[in-house]
Amino acid sequence: MEYRLYSHISMNWAGKPLQSLQVMLAFIRSTTTTAGLTVETELDEGMYRKGRTATERQLRELALSPHDVCPRWNYTFTPRLTS
C-alpha cells in the first residue's frame, strides 16, 4: 500500500499558522488516515555539512523509481531485498 504522507500532513494543517517548530511537529504527529496511517516525528537539531552530493554510483544503487510527472522531484524509494 502506498501512502502519500505529505498530502495528509498538508490537509491536517491547512489554514493554520505554523508559529513554531513545536506547533509544526504537533500537526505532523496528529496526522492520521482512515487506512490507519499514524506519524511519528522528532526535531533533529544536528549540524550537517552543506553542498554534499551523492555519486552517480550511489544513485544507481538506490532502489529508486522515478514518477512520470517531474521525475527529478517525484520518486518512490522501495526497500531492497537482502540475500
Side-chain angles (χ1 to χ4, degrees):
M1 176 175 288
E2 183 177 321
Y3 291 108
R4 302 208 183 271
L5 179 62
Y6 295 108
S7 64
H8 291 286
I9 292 171
S10 296
M11 288 185 292
N12 193 34
W13 70 26
K16 299 173 183 128
L18 303 176
Q19 299 173 337
S20 69
L21 289 173
Q22 294 308 319
V23 169
M24 181 180 69
L25 292 173
F27 280 124
I28 294 170
R29 287 184 191 115
S30 63
T31 300
T32 60
T33 68
T34 56
L37 173 74
T38 59
V39 181
E40 295 179 21
T41 187
E42 62 184 61
L43 181 61
D44 179 357
E45 297 189 74
M47 298 293 290
Y48 298 93
R49 290 191 342 214
K50 294 181 182 179
R52 295 182 67 190
T53 58
T55 66
E56 288 297 320
R57 180 180 177 183
Q58 288 170 322
L59 291 173
R60 282 192 308 272
E61 291 174 352
L62 292 174
L64 183 75
S65 303
H67 296 194
D68 292 333
V69 176
C70 298
R72 290 187 58 146
W73 298 346
N74 300 303
Y75 44 83
T76 300
F77 283 103
T78 54
R80 286 193 181 273
L81 299 176
T82 57
S83 51

